[in-house]
Short mmCIF file of all heavy atoms in Angstrom, two decimals:
data_model
loop_
_atom_site.label_atom_id
_atom_site.label_comp_id
_atom_site.label_asym_id
_atom_site.label_seq_id
_atom_site.Cartn_x
_atom_site.Cartn_y
_atom_site.Cartn_z
N THR F 1043 -1.85 79.37 -65.17
CA THR F 1043 -1.91 79.25 -63.71
C THR F 1043 -0.52 79.26 -63.10
O THR F 1043 -0.26 79.98 -62.12
CB THR F 1043 -2.66 77.95 -63.32
OG1 THR F 1043 -3.98 78.00 -63.87
CG2 THR F 1043 -2.73 77.78 -61.82
N ILE F 1044 0.39 78.49 -63.67
CA ILE F 1044 1.76 78.43 -63.15
C ILE F 1044 2.44 79.78 -63.27
O ILE F 1044 3.08 80.26 -62.33
CB ILE F 1044 2.56 77.31 -63.84
CG1 ILE F 1044 2.00 75.95 -63.43
CG2 ILE F 1044 4.05 77.42 -63.52
CD1 ILE F 1044 2.51 74.78 -64.25
N ARG F 1045 2.28 80.44 -64.41
CA ARG F 1045 2.88 81.78 -64.58
C ARG F 1045 2.33 82.76 -63.54
O ARG F 1045 3.08 83.51 -62.94
CB ARG F 1045 2.60 82.30 -65.98
CG ARG F 1045 3.52 81.77 -67.02
CD ARG F 1045 3.34 82.56 -68.32
NE ARG F 1045 4.07 81.94 -69.37
CZ ARG F 1045 3.52 81.49 -70.49
NH1 ARG F 1045 2.23 81.62 -70.71
NH2 ARG F 1045 4.26 80.93 -71.42
N ASN F 1046 1.02 82.77 -63.37
CA ASN F 1046 0.40 83.68 -62.40
C ASN F 1046 0.88 83.40 -60.98
O ASN F 1046 1.17 84.33 -60.22
CB ASN F 1046 -1.13 83.59 -62.46
CG ASN F 1046 -1.69 84.23 -63.70
OD1 ASN F 1046 -1.06 85.07 -64.34
ND2 ASN F 1046 -2.89 83.84 -64.07
N MET F 1047 0.95 82.14 -60.62
CA MET F 1047 1.39 81.78 -59.27
C MET F 1047 2.84 82.20 -59.06
O MET F 1047 3.19 82.74 -58.00
CB MET F 1047 1.22 80.28 -59.04
CG MET F 1047 -0.23 79.83 -59.00
SD MET F 1047 -0.40 78.03 -58.89
CE MET F 1047 -0.01 77.79 -57.16
N ARG F 1048 3.68 81.94 -60.05
CA ARG F 1048 5.10 82.32 -59.94
C ARG F 1048 5.23 83.83 -59.79
O ARG F 1048 6.04 84.32 -59.01
CB ARG F 1048 5.86 81.82 -61.16
CG ARG F 1048 6.03 80.31 -61.19
CD ARG F 1048 6.59 79.81 -62.52
NE ARG F 1048 7.74 80.53 -62.96
CZ ARG F 1048 8.98 80.31 -62.53
NH1 ARG F 1048 9.21 79.36 -61.67
NH2 ARG F 1048 9.99 81.02 -62.99
N GLU F 1049 4.42 84.56 -60.51
CA GLU F 1049 4.45 86.02 -60.42
C GLU F 1049 4.04 86.48 -59.02
O GLU F 1049 4.67 87.36 -58.45
CB GLU F 1049 3.51 86.61 -61.48
CG GLU F 1049 3.54 88.12 -61.54
CD GLU F 1049 2.63 88.65 -62.63
OE1 GLU F 1049 2.84 88.28 -63.80
OE2 GLU F 1049 1.69 89.39 -62.29
N GLN F 1050 2.99 85.88 -58.48
CA GLN F 1050 2.53 86.25 -57.14
C GLN F 1050 3.59 85.96 -56.07
O GLN F 1050 3.71 86.70 -55.10
CB GLN F 1050 1.25 85.49 -56.78
CG GLN F 1050 0.03 85.97 -57.53
CD GLN F 1050 -1.19 85.15 -57.19
OE1 GLN F 1050 -1.30 84.59 -56.11
NE2 GLN F 1050 -2.12 85.06 -58.14
N ILE F 1051 4.33 84.88 -56.27
CA ILE F 1051 5.36 84.51 -55.31
C ILE F 1051 6.62 85.36 -55.49
O ILE F 1051 7.37 85.58 -54.55
CB ILE F 1051 5.70 83.00 -55.45
CG1 ILE F 1051 4.48 82.16 -55.07
CG2 ILE F 1051 6.90 82.61 -54.61
CD1 ILE F 1051 4.58 80.71 -55.43
N GLY F 1052 6.81 85.85 -56.71
CA GLY F 1052 8.00 86.65 -57.00
C GLY F 1052 9.14 85.85 -57.60
O GLY F 1052 10.31 86.22 -57.48
N ILE F 1053 8.81 84.75 -58.25
CA ILE F 1053 9.81 83.92 -58.91
C ILE F 1053 9.97 84.41 -60.34
O ILE F 1053 8.99 84.49 -61.08
CB ILE F 1053 9.41 82.42 -58.92
CG1 ILE F 1053 9.24 81.93 -57.49
CG2 ILE F 1053 10.42 81.60 -59.68
CD1 ILE F 1053 8.67 80.53 -57.40
N SER F 1054 11.18 84.71 -60.73
CA SER F 1054 11.42 85.22 -62.09
C SER F 1054 11.31 84.09 -63.11
O SER F 1054 11.50 82.92 -62.79
CB SER F 1054 12.78 85.89 -62.19
OG SER F 1054 13.80 84.92 -62.12
N GLU F 1055 11.04 84.47 -64.33
CA GLU F 1055 10.92 83.49 -65.42
C GLU F 1055 12.22 82.75 -65.69
O GLU F 1055 12.22 81.69 -66.26
CB GLU F 1055 10.45 84.18 -66.71
CG GLU F 1055 8.99 84.51 -66.72
CD GLU F 1055 8.10 83.29 -66.74
OE1 GLU F 1055 8.41 82.31 -67.43
OE2 GLU F 1055 7.07 83.31 -66.05
N SER F 1056 13.34 83.32 -65.28
CA SER F 1056 14.62 82.70 -65.60
C SER F 1056 14.99 81.56 -64.66
O SER F 1056 15.94 80.83 -64.90
CB SER F 1056 15.74 83.75 -65.56
OG SER F 1056 15.87 84.26 -64.25
N GLN F 1057 14.24 81.38 -63.56
CA GLN F 1057 14.56 80.32 -62.62
C GLN F 1057 14.03 78.99 -63.12
O GLN F 1057 13.19 78.91 -64.01
CB GLN F 1057 14.03 80.66 -61.23
CG GLN F 1057 14.78 81.86 -60.65
CD GLN F 1057 14.23 82.30 -59.31
OE1 GLN F 1057 13.09 82.01 -58.99
NE2 GLN F 1057 15.04 83.00 -58.56
N THR F 1058 14.51 77.90 -62.53
CA THR F 1058 14.31 76.56 -63.08
C THR F 1058 12.86 76.12 -63.27
O THR F 1058 12.58 75.36 -64.18
CB THR F 1058 15.01 75.51 -62.20
OG1 THR F 1058 14.47 75.60 -60.88
CG2 THR F 1058 16.50 75.73 -62.18
N ALA F 1059 11.95 76.57 -62.44
CA ALA F 1059 10.56 76.12 -62.59
C ALA F 1059 9.96 76.57 -63.91
O ALA F 1059 8.97 76.02 -64.36
CB ALA F 1059 9.72 76.62 -61.42
N ALA F 1060 10.57 77.58 -64.55
CA ALA F 1060 10.07 78.03 -65.85
C ALA F 1060 10.19 76.92 -66.89
O ALA F 1060 9.47 76.92 -67.88
CB ALA F 1060 10.83 79.27 -66.31
N GLU F 1061 11.09 75.96 -66.66
CA GLU F 1061 11.25 74.86 -67.60
C GLU F 1061 9.94 74.09 -67.77
O GLU F 1061 9.66 73.59 -68.85
CB GLU F 1061 12.36 73.93 -67.13
CG GLU F 1061 13.73 74.58 -67.17
CD GLU F 1061 14.80 73.71 -66.56
OE1 GLU F 1061 14.54 72.54 -66.22
OE2 GLU F 1061 15.92 74.22 -66.42
N VAL F 1062 9.15 73.98 -66.71
CA VAL F 1062 7.87 73.27 -66.80
C VAL F 1062 6.93 74.01 -67.75
O VAL F 1062 6.27 73.40 -68.58
CB VAL F 1062 7.22 73.11 -65.40
CG1 VAL F 1062 5.81 72.56 -65.53
CG2 VAL F 1062 8.07 72.22 -64.53
N VAL F 1063 6.91 75.32 -67.66
CA VAL F 1063 6.05 76.12 -68.54
C VAL F 1063 6.52 75.97 -69.99
O VAL F 1063 5.71 75.79 -70.89
CB VAL F 1063 6.04 77.60 -68.11
CG1 VAL F 1063 5.26 78.45 -69.11
CG2 VAL F 1063 5.43 77.75 -66.72
N ILE F 1064 7.82 76.01 -70.21
CA ILE F 1064 8.36 75.83 -71.56
C ILE F 1064 8.01 74.45 -72.09
O ILE F 1064 7.60 74.30 -73.25
CB ILE F 1064 9.88 76.07 -71.58
CG1 ILE F 1064 10.17 77.54 -71.29
CG2 ILE F 1064 10.49 75.63 -72.91
CD1 ILE F 1064 11.62 77.85 -70.99
N GLU F 1065 8.12 73.44 -71.24
CA GLU F 1065 7.77 72.08 -71.66
C GLU F 1065 6.28 71.99 -72.01
O GLU F 1065 5.90 71.38 -73.01
CB GLU F 1065 8.10 71.08 -70.56
CG GLU F 1065 7.78 69.65 -70.94
CD GLU F 1065 8.11 68.65 -69.86
OE1 GLU F 1065 8.78 69.00 -68.87
OE2 GLU F 1065 7.69 67.49 -70.02
N LEU F 1066 5.43 72.64 -71.21
CA LEU F 1066 4.00 72.64 -71.50
C LEU F 1066 3.70 73.33 -72.83
O LEU F 1066 2.87 72.86 -73.61
CB LEU F 1066 3.22 73.31 -70.38
CG LEU F 1066 3.14 72.56 -69.05
CD1 LEU F 1066 2.52 73.44 -67.98
CD2 LEU F 1066 2.37 71.27 -69.20
N GLN F 1067 4.40 74.44 -73.10
CA GLN F 1067 4.22 75.14 -74.37
C GLN F 1067 4.63 74.25 -75.53
O GLN F 1067 3.93 74.17 -76.54
CB GLN F 1067 5.05 76.43 -74.39
CG GLN F 1067 4.52 77.51 -73.51
CD GLN F 1067 5.47 78.70 -73.43
OE1 GLN F 1067 6.69 78.55 -73.46
NE2 GLN F 1067 4.91 79.89 -73.30
N THR F 1068 5.76 73.59 -75.39
CA THR F 1068 6.26 72.71 -76.44
C THR F 1068 5.29 71.57 -76.70
O THR F 1068 4.98 71.24 -77.85
CB THR F 1068 7.65 72.14 -76.05
OG1 THR F 1068 8.53 73.24 -75.81
CG2 THR F 1068 8.21 71.25 -77.12
N ILE F 1069 4.79 70.96 -75.62
CA ILE F 1069 3.83 69.85 -75.76
C ILE F 1069 2.55 70.34 -76.43
O ILE F 1069 2.00 69.67 -77.30
CB ILE F 1069 3.52 69.25 -74.37
CG1 ILE F 1069 4.77 68.64 -73.78
CG2 ILE F 1069 2.35 68.28 -74.44
CD1 ILE F 1069 4.93 67.17 -73.88
N ALA F 1070 2.07 71.53 -76.01
CA ALA F 1070 0.82 72.05 -76.58
C ALA F 1070 0.96 72.29 -78.08
O ALA F 1070 0.06 71.94 -78.86
CB ALA F 1070 0.42 73.34 -75.87
N VAL F 1071 2.07 72.87 -78.50
CA VAL F 1071 2.28 73.13 -79.93
C VAL F 1071 2.43 71.81 -80.69
O VAL F 1071 1.79 71.60 -81.72
CB VAL F 1071 3.52 74.03 -80.14
CG1 VAL F 1071 3.90 74.09 -81.61
CG2 VAL F 1071 3.25 75.43 -79.60
N ALA F 1072 3.26 70.92 -80.16
CA ALA F 1072 3.47 69.64 -80.84
C ALA F 1072 2.18 68.81 -80.87
O ALA F 1072 1.92 68.11 -81.84
CB ALA F 1072 4.59 68.87 -80.15
N PHE F 1073 1.38 68.92 -79.81
CA PHE F 1073 0.11 68.21 -79.79
C PHE F 1073 -0.78 68.68 -80.93
O PHE F 1073 -1.44 67.88 -81.60
CB PHE F 1073 -0.59 68.42 -78.44
CG PHE F 1073 -1.99 67.90 -78.42
CD1 PHE F 1073 -2.24 66.54 -78.34
CD2 PHE F 1073 -3.07 68.76 -78.51
CE1 PHE F 1073 -3.54 66.06 -78.35
CE2 PHE F 1073 -4.37 68.29 -78.52
CZ PHE F 1073 -4.61 66.93 -78.43
N GLY F 1074 -0.78 69.97 -81.17
CA GLY F 1074 -1.58 70.54 -82.26
C GLY F 1074 -1.18 69.98 -83.61
O GLY F 1074 -1.99 69.92 -84.53
N TRP F 1075 0.07 69.56 -83.71
CA TRP F 1075 0.56 68.98 -84.96
C TRP F 1075 0.46 67.46 -84.96
O TRP F 1075 0.90 66.79 -85.90
CB TRP F 1075 2.01 69.35 -85.20
CG TRP F 1075 2.25 70.81 -85.42
CD1 TRP F 1075 1.37 71.74 -85.86
CD2 TRP F 1075 3.47 71.50 -85.20
NE1 TRP F 1075 1.96 72.97 -85.92
CE2 TRP F 1075 3.26 72.85 -85.53
CE3 TRP F 1075 4.73 71.12 -84.75
CZ2 TRP F 1075 4.26 73.81 -85.43
CZ3 TRP F 1075 5.72 72.08 -84.66
CH2 TRP F 1075 5.48 73.41 -85.00
N GLY F 1076 -0.10 66.90 -83.89
CA GLY F 1076 -0.21 65.44 -83.79
C GLY F 1076 1.11 64.76 -83.51
O GLY F 1076 1.30 63.59 -83.83
N LYS F 1077 2.03 65.48 -82.87
CA LYS F 1077 3.38 64.96 -82.66
C LYS F 1077 3.66 64.52 -81.23
O LYS F 1077 4.80 64.33 -80.85
CB LYS F 1077 4.42 66.04 -83.01
CG LYS F 1077 4.32 66.56 -84.42
CD LYS F 1077 5.01 65.64 -85.37
CE LYS F 1077 5.01 66.26 -86.76
NZ LYS F 1077 5.57 65.43 -87.75
N ARG F 1078 2.65 64.36 -80.39
CA ARG F 1078 2.85 63.92 -79.02
C ARG F 1078 1.98 62.71 -78.74
O ARG F 1078 0.83 62.62 -79.16
CB ARG F 1078 2.51 65.02 -78.01
CG ARG F 1078 3.53 66.13 -77.96
CD ARG F 1078 4.87 65.62 -77.44
NE ARG F 1078 5.85 66.67 -77.35
CZ ARG F 1078 6.93 66.75 -78.12
NH1 ARG F 1078 7.15 65.86 -79.05
NH2 ARG F 1078 7.79 67.72 -77.95
N THR F 1079 2.55 61.78 -77.97
CA THR F 1079 1.82 60.57 -77.59
C THR F 1079 0.97 60.85 -76.36
O THR F 1079 1.18 61.83 -75.65
CB THR F 1079 2.79 59.42 -77.27
OG1 THR F 1079 3.55 59.78 -76.10
CG2 THR F 1079 3.73 59.13 -78.44
N ASP F 1080 0.03 59.96 -76.11
CA ASP F 1080 -0.79 60.08 -74.91
C ASP F 1080 0.06 60.09 -73.65
O ASP F 1080 -0.22 60.85 -72.72
CB ASP F 1080 -1.81 58.94 -74.84
CG ASP F 1080 -2.96 59.11 -75.81
OD1 ASP F 1080 -3.08 60.19 -76.43
OD2 ASP F 1080 -3.76 58.16 -75.93
N SER F 1081 1.10 59.27 -73.61
CA SER F 1081 1.94 59.21 -72.40
C SER F 1081 2.71 60.51 -72.20
O SER F 1081 2.91 60.94 -71.06
CB SER F 1081 2.88 58.01 -72.43
OG SER F 1081 3.80 58.12 -73.50
N GLU F 1082 3.12 61.17 -73.27
CA GLU F 1082 3.81 62.46 -73.14
C GLU F 1082 2.86 63.54 -72.63
O GLU F 1082 3.23 64.37 -71.80
CB GLU F 1082 4.42 62.88 -74.47
CG GLU F 1082 5.60 62.03 -74.90
CD GLU F 1082 6.06 62.32 -76.31
OE1 GLU F 1082 5.19 62.44 -77.21
OE2 GLU F 1082 7.28 62.41 -76.52
N ILE F 1083 1.64 63.51 -73.12
CA ILE F 1083 0.64 64.48 -72.66
C ILE F 1083 0.29 64.22 -71.20
O ILE F 1083 0.22 65.15 -70.39
CB ILE F 1083 -0.61 64.44 -73.55
CG1 ILE F 1083 -0.24 64.94 -74.95
CG2 ILE F 1083 -1.74 65.28 -72.97
CD1 ILE F 1083 -1.25 64.64 -76.01
N ALA F 1084 0.09 62.96 -70.83
CA ALA F 1084 -0.21 62.61 -69.44
C ALA F 1084 0.92 63.06 -68.52
O ALA F 1084 0.67 63.62 -67.45
CB ALA F 1084 -0.45 61.11 -69.31
N SER F 1085 2.15 62.84 -68.94
CA SER F 1085 3.30 63.26 -68.14
C SER F 1085 3.32 64.78 -67.95
O SER F 1085 3.57 65.27 -66.84
CB SER F 1085 4.59 62.80 -68.83
OG SER F 1085 5.72 63.27 -68.12
N ALA F 1086 3.02 65.53 -69.00
CA ALA F 1086 2.99 66.99 -68.91
C ALA F 1086 1.89 67.46 -67.96
O ALA F 1086 2.09 68.37 -67.16
CB ALA F 1086 2.80 67.60 -70.29
N LEU F 1087 0.72 66.83 -68.04
CA LEU F 1087 -0.39 67.19 -67.15
C LEU F 1087 -0.03 66.91 -65.69
O LEU F 1087 -0.33 67.71 -64.79
CB LEU F 1087 -1.66 66.45 -67.55
CG LEU F 1087 -2.26 66.82 -68.90
CD1 LEU F 1087 -3.38 65.84 -69.28
CD2 LEU F 1087 -2.76 68.25 -68.90
N LEU F 1088 0.63 65.78 -65.44
CA LEU F 1088 1.04 65.44 -64.07
C LEU F 1088 2.12 66.39 -63.55
O LEU F 1088 2.09 66.80 -62.38
CB LEU F 1088 1.53 63.99 -64.00
CG LEU F 1088 0.45 62.93 -64.20
CD1 LEU F 1088 1.07 61.54 -64.30
CD2 LEU F 1088 -0.59 62.99 -63.08
N LYS F 1089 3.06 66.77 -64.41
CA LYS F 1089 4.08 67.74 -64.00
C LYS F 1089 3.45 69.08 -63.66
O LYS F 1089 3.84 69.74 -62.70
CB LYS F 1089 5.13 67.92 -65.10
CG LYS F 1089 6.11 66.79 -65.20
CD LYS F 1089 7.12 67.05 -66.30
CE LYS F 1089 8.01 65.85 -66.49
NZ LYS F 1089 8.99 66.06 -67.57
N ALA F 1090 2.47 69.48 -64.45
CA ALA F 1090 1.78 70.74 -64.19
C ALA F 1090 1.05 70.67 -62.85
O ALA F 1090 1.10 71.62 -62.06
CB ALA F 1090 0.81 71.06 -65.32
N ALA F 1091 0.38 69.57 -62.58
CA ALA F 1091 -0.33 69.41 -61.30
C ALA F 1091 0.66 69.47 -60.14
O ALA F 1091 0.38 70.13 -59.12
CB ALA F 1091 -1.10 68.08 -61.28
N ASP F 1092 1.80 68.81 -60.27
CA ASP F 1092 2.83 68.85 -59.22
C ASP F 1092 3.32 70.27 -59.00
O ASP F 1092 3.48 70.71 -57.86
CB ASP F 1092 4.01 67.96 -59.58
CG ASP F 1092 3.72 66.48 -59.39
OD1 ASP F 1092 2.75 66.14 -58.68
OD2 ASP F 1092 4.46 65.66 -59.96
N MET F 1093 3.57 70.99 -60.08
CA MET F 1093 4.07 72.35 -59.97
C MET F 1093 3.04 73.25 -59.27
O MET F 1093 3.39 74.05 -58.41
CB MET F 1093 4.41 72.91 -61.35
CG MET F 1093 4.89 74.34 -61.34
SD MET F 1093 6.42 74.62 -60.41
CE MET F 1093 7.59 73.74 -61.41
N ILE F 1094 1.78 73.09 -59.62
CA ILE F 1094 0.72 73.90 -59.01
C ILE F 1094 0.64 73.61 -57.51
O ILE F 1094 0.55 74.53 -56.69
CB ILE F 1094 -0.63 73.68 -59.72
CG1 ILE F 1094 -0.56 74.31 -61.11
CG2 ILE F 1094 -1.79 74.23 -58.91
CD1 ILE F 1094 -1.69 73.93 -62.03
N ARG F 1095 0.72 72.34 -57.14
CA ARG F 1095 0.68 71.98 -55.71
C ARG F 1095 1.90 72.54 -54.98
O ARG F 1095 1.77 73.07 -53.87
CB ARG F 1095 0.60 70.46 -55.54
CG ARG F 1095 -0.79 69.92 -55.80
CD ARG F 1095 -0.91 68.47 -55.38
NE ARG F 1095 -0.05 67.60 -56.15
CZ ARG F 1095 -0.44 66.86 -57.17
NH1 ARG F 1095 -1.70 66.86 -57.55
NH2 ARG F 1095 0.42 66.09 -57.82
#
Side-chain angles (χ1 to χ4, degrees):
T1043 300
I1044 292 168
R1045 279 191 188 121
N1046 287 339
M1047 292 174 77
R1048 289 170 49 82
E1049 184 178 301
Q1050 288 177 27
I1051 295 168
I1053 300 173
S1054 71
E1055 283 294 320
S1056 64
Q1057 294 176 338
T1058 59
E1061 293 173 8
V1062 172
V1063 174
I1064 293 168
E1065 181 180 350
L1066 290 172
Q1067 288 173 326
T1068 303
I1069 296 260
V1071 169
F1073 171 75
W1075 295 337
K1077 302 278 186 183
R1078 287 294 182 249
T1079 65
D1080 285 351
S1081 64
E1082 290 171 316
I1083 294 165
S1085 176
L1087 293 170
L1088 291 172
K1089 284 181 186 179
D1092 284 342
M1093 178 62 68
I1094 290 168
R1095 283 191 296 260

